[in-house]
Amino acid sequence: MRKSFQFRIYPNKNQEVILERTLSTCRHLYNDSLEERKRQAELNRLKQSFDVFPWGYPEWINYYDQANQLPLTKTPFQKEVHSQVLQNVLKRVERSFQNFYNGAGYPRFQGRNRYNSFTYPGSGLKLEDGKLILSKIGAIKIILHREIEGKIKTCTIKKDVDQWYVSFSCQIDIPIIPVKIETITGIDVGLINLIKLSNGKQIQPPKYLRQSEKRLAREQIHLSKKKKGSENRNKQRIIVAKVHRKIRNQRKDFNHKLSTDLVNNYDHVVFERLQIQNMLKNHCLAKSIVDASWSQLINLTIYKAEYAGKVVELVNPNGTSQTCICGHHVPKDLSVRIHNCPNCGLVMDRDQVSAIIIEKRSTAGIAGIQAYGATSTEEQRSRKPQPERVG
Ligand SMILES: [Zn+2]
């Protein structure tokens, strides 16, 4: 299995110049390769419209074409960069086209503020005496605050506003012993910052995170009021990026703790499959941050569960908020917080009902392991859970 380890690195002034230059070289290569593919697609389109295909089939440029061509056309800047770092750039172009074929947007040209990382193969680096030695760049100070496990496969150097990070992706070979599934939970991730377990437990991100998010909204309004292209706008852009970074780190921290808790407490964890399509289309920033954070939580839970021999299952999300545990269709819009079933009489917090439905849709749920207590609708009818206070 793969596991990643992230550390901050501390380049000196000279090294920072080289890192910046490498980023810039990679970004130009990315944009040029994208341009080349776009031109070829355009040419194919023209050929097709003029019906010249009887004399020649459409040709497509793929990763291997571009990778083979690269050594022959290297610019002086490209010669200063490790060749596999450049190949990785071409792989990224390839991946962005694959994503496009799978429904994501058309690959975009990358601006200076967007393209912020480059990737080394495991063979292009060494760790020695608190230094990360990168081929063609040099020995950069690094503080290894935790041990790296497994074999380093790739190493990605990333710029985050004014800080630099390295992320090692490692191959770990450990025998995994599956545990016997005894406990299960369904999890409903909310539109807002909230998750609900099928046993009714509600988990909310810490207050400091919500405060940072409020601050982000404020700083963004300031940004929108600054004149385009002005020095003040640029300063404000950096402030916004830093608040973003803070939130990202706080969320990651929260998601790490939460995923550990989930895996420690349950053998089988069930989430809804998040709809990536919708996430990419969503232009509301606050919402997209929350969605990205949920997918991070799910991914962290998956890999921790894998480690522990436990199971994470993703189930069909359709209609989880509109169905009762008894199977009856109970439509309700977002403002209705309490589920009230006319069929079986169940009255319960709506998110908890969703979490229970999610749990029931899992393979273990169908097999009959239930964490929320009530084992039949008969029993539920007699108990009639009281609605919880919400909000
Ligand atoms: Zn019902």
Side-chain angles (χ1 to χ4, degrees):
M1 68 190 281
R2 285 287 183 106
K3 187 171 180 181
S4 62
F5 299 86
Q6 186 173 285
F7 304 95
R8 190 165 165 194
I9 51 173
Y10 302 84
N12 61 31
K13 281 263 153 50
N14 273 338
Q15 290 169 334
E16 202 161 358
V17 172
I18 303 175
L19 290 174
E20 291 277 8
R21 202 163 56 209
T22 307
L23 260 187
S24 162
T25 304
C26 289
R27 184 172 67 86
H28 281 113
L29 177 64
Y30 185 96
N31 287 341
D32 291 347
S33 309
L34 185 56
E35 173 75 35
E36 189 185 26
R37 288 196 183 208
K38 272 186 151 169
R39 253 198 326 257
Q40 186 62 39
E42 179 64 13
L43 199 63
N44 286 341
R45 199 182 61 76
L46 283 174
K47 276 188 182 170
Q48 195 162 34
S49 63
F50 288 110
D51 200 23
V52 295
F53 280 142
W55 298 281
Y57 291 102
E59 288 168 33
W60 296 101
I61 298 174
N62 62 27
Y63 164 73
Y64 294 101
D65 299 328
Q66 293 190 321
N68 287 335
Q69 180 195 331
L70 185 64
L72 311 170
T73 58
K74 270 192 191 171
T75 63
F77 281 124
Q78 286 170 351
K79 281 181 186 151
E80 286 172 25
V81 178
H82 191 280
S83 61
Q84 278 177 279
V85 171
L86 297 176
Q87 279 168 21
N88 174 269
V89 174
L90 300 176
K91 278 188 191 146
R92 291 184 187 195
V93 177
E94 174 81 13
R95 204 179 314 134
S96 68
F97 273 96
Q98 289 306 335
N99 290 344
F100 168 62
Y101 301 140
N102 290 331
Y106 196 78
R108 293 211 272 171
F109 290 108
Q110 302 287 311
R112 211 155 44 89
N113 294 324
R114 271 179 67 90
Y115 202 90
N116 61 0
S117 71
F118 55 88
T119 301
Y120 270 88
S123 59
L125 61 112
K126 252 195 307 198
L127 281 162
E128 232 172 62
D129 307 328
K131 297 273 162 103
L132 170 66
I133 306 167
L134 292 171
S135 159
K136 301 227 176 191
I137 289 182
I140 303 172
K141 184 182 163 200
I142 182 171
I143 295 172
L144 295 170
H145 55 80
R146 60 194 278 221
E147 203 184 326
I148 300 175
E149 301 160 46
K151 189 176 180 336
I152 298 174
K153 287 296 196 185
T154 65
C155 148
T156 297
I157 310 292
K158 188 172 168 202
K159 184 188 179 193
D160 192 343
V161 198
D162 53 352
Q163 296 173 358
W164 293 85
Y165 293 86
V166 57
S167 169
F168 299 107
S169 174
C170 301
Q171 177 69 39
I172 302 177
D173 299 310
I174 47 155
I176 290 159
I177 303 134
V179 303
K180 186 169 176 289
I181 307 291
E182 280 173 344
T183 49
I184 179 172
T185 186
I187 297 174
D188 180 66
V189 298
L191 290 171
I192 33 173
N193 283 336
L194 206 72
I195 80 166
K196 194 98 182 181
L197 306 189
S198 47
N199 63 9
K201 197 173 165 202
Q202 177 170 302
I203 299 157
Q204 210 166 14
K207 205 169 161 197
Y208 59 75
L209 185 50
R210 276 173 287 154
Q211 280 163 350
S212 306
E213 279 167 347
K214 275 187 199 144
R215 163 134 194 255
L216 178 66
R218 267 203 317 275
E219 297 295 359
Q220 239 143 7
I221 291 170
H222 288 316
L223 179 65
S224 67
K225 285 179 179 160
K226 302 272 191 249
K227 221 174 95 199
K228 283 241 163 77
S230 66
E231 186 51 32
N232 275 338
R233 189 185 169 88
N234 199 36
K235 274 188 200 150
Q236 185 63 21
R237 192 185 58 71
I238 291 169
I239 292 174
V240 169
K242 284 183 181 171
V243 181
H244 252 296
R245 174 172 68 202
K246 189 169 175 193
I247 291 178
R248 245 186 351 261
N249 290 340
Q250 288 175 335
R251 279 211 164 268
K252 195 171 178 184
D253 198 45
F254 170 68
N255 283 336
H256 260 298
K257 287 186 185 122
L258 183 51
S259 53
T260 303
D261 273 0
L262 289 173
V263 172
N264 285 346
N265 288 318
Y266 300 97
D267 305 329
H268 194 122
V269 181
V270 194
F271 288 101
E272 283 177 288
R273 195 176 301 116
L274 293 181
Q275 281 156 326
I276 307 293
Q277 294 300 355
N278 295 351
M279 279 167 57
L280 293 174
K281 279 188 196 124
N282 205 312
H283 293 295
C284 165
L285 184 78
K287 177 75 178 83
S288 65
I289 293 177
V290 171
D291 281 341
S293 164
W294 290 145
S295 83
Q296 181 182 54
L297 172 70
I298 293 175
N299 288 335
L300 287 172
T301 314
I302 288 175
Y303 104 50
K304 287 178 188 174
E306 196 179 349
Y307 236 154
K310 297 187 172 188
V311 181
V312 173
E313 191 176 349
L314 306 179
V315 298
N316 181 357
N318 288 340
T320 48
S321 60
Q322 313 292 324
T323 311
C324 181
I325 299 165
C326 71
H328 197 72
H329 181 62
V330 186
K332 46 192 175 293
D333 64 36
L334 274 175
S335 63
V336 181
R337 302 311 305 166
I338 302 297
H339 168 96
N340 198 335
C341 177
N343 185 45
C344 68
L346 175 69
V347 178
M348 202 185 246
D349 172 69
R350 68 172 285 155
D351 294 336
Q352 186 181 357
V353 175
S354 298
I356 294 172
I357 298 292
I358 289 165
E359 180 187 317
K360 279 174 74 116
R361 281 187 185 177
S362 73
T363 48
I366 290 161
I369 301 172
Q370 291 170 325
Y372 49 93
T375 49
S376 72
T377 44
E378 247 344 282
E379 196 179 320
Q380 273 156 17
R381 193 173 296 147
S382 61
R383 290 200 319 181
K384 265 204 185 165
Q386 287 303 302
E388 282 178 58
R389 285 181 63 89
V390 185

